[in-house]
Amino acid sequence: MSAHFNPYVQGWRVGNAPSANNGETPSIFGALPGGSANRGRESPTPPNTVVFHVTDLRPNMLNATVIDARGRPCYKIITDAAQPHRTTYYDAHRRTVALVDWSRAGGHPHPSVEMPGLLPRQQIRAWLRASPDRASRMMDVRGIPYVWVPDGDYISLYFAQRSGSHRLGRICANRQGIKIELSQQAMEAHLLEVTIICASVFLSGASID
């Protein structure tokens, strides 16, 4: 699995590009819409934004560490070699915050996700469901609908049903790993852990459909 966002594998439609996977694995740079002058360059972090970094990729985001802006470890993402189809997410106190089962065997045709106390086990494609035009993915968290949208070199998070909704957060791959930016509103809505899960799904290169 690649450490880059692959919209073809994810089943997203990007601009006029076909949604089918043609066997190639385009990186996050060049695969998403955006002006060529800015492609591959990070835009400035908006003010009042909380930044996290996913580092120590071994070799990708399914074995990694999430740190805050001061470099303090916040979460661990672990895919044990003994159980390569299971990814577990731990907080700084070693509490399990999420489980992703990538297996497609044993009566489970699609990868599943579970977040104890928040999200019962379900197929990832049902939780991160593609829009009819496959240009975005919707999700519900605590009864509130949100939408993920490819946005230049980023994947951005918005409220789904609010006119003129401002961006709540965004994720991107860079040379240091993965960068997560969340607004204060997103932090107050406790969207950090959900965003980490979504980032790892989107940037894993694994098919969820």
Side-chain angles (χ1 to χ4, degrees), residues 106-160:
H108 302 288
H110 301 284
S112 64
V113 61
E114 176 182 358
M115 298 185 71
L118 177 62
L119 188 71
R121 178 170 176 152
Q122 58 190 280
Q123 292 182 359
I124 298 176
R125 69 169 190 167
W127 179 50
L128 294 172
R129 57 198 181 278
S131 60
D133 62 1
R134 307 193 72 79
S136 62
R137 283 192 180 269
M138 310 282 291
M139 72 173 184
D140 293 325
V141 180
R142 301 180 182 90
I144 299 175
Y146 299 92
V147 60
W148 288 100
V149 182
D151 179 18
D153 292 325
Y154 294 82
I155 310 171
S156 295
L157 176 66
Y158 299 87
F159 285 115

Side-chain angles (χ1 to χ4, degrees), residues 20-163:
N21 184 11
N22 59 6
E24 299 178 356
T25 305
S27 73
I28 188 170
F29 303 133
L32 302 182
S36 59
N38 294 323
R39 186 165 294 160
R41 301 178 184 175
E42 289 186 48
S43 60
T45 300
N48 301 317
T49 297
V50 183
V51 178
F52 297 86
H53 300 277
V54 185
T55 64
D56 193 23
L57 309 183
R58 305 182 309 277
N60 56 37
M61 196 173 173
L62 301 184
N63 271 299
T65 301
V66 182
I67 61 175
D68 64 14
R70 297 183 179 180
R72 297 174 299 190
C74 302
Y75 295 90
K76 284 281 190 182
I77 305 171
I78 296 176
T79 305
D80 195 315
Q83 294 183 301
H85 296 298
R86 176 182 288 259
T87 301
T88 307
Y89 303 74
Y90 299 97
D91 66 13
H93 303 288
R94 290 290 297 180
R95 292 177 298 212
T96 300
V97 298
L99 294 165
V100 170
D101 186 349
W102 302 99
S103 175
R104 292 175 178 270
H108 302 288
H110 301 284
S112 64
V113 61
E114 176 182 358
M115 298 185 71
L118 177 62
L119 188 71
R121 178 170 176 152
Q122 58 190 280
Q123 292 182 359
I124 298 176
R125 69 169 190 167
W127 179 50
L128 294 172
R129 57 198 181 278
S131 60
D133 62 1
R134 307 193 72 79
S136 62
R137 283 192 180 269
M138 310 282 291
M139 72 173 184
D140 293 325
V141 180
R142 301 180 182 90
I144 299 175
Y146 299 92
V147 60
W148 288 100
V149 182
D151 179 18
D153 292 325
Y154 294 82
I155 310 171
S156 295
L157 176 66
Y158 299 87
F159 285 115
Q161 297 179 346
R162 298 189 187 181
S163 177

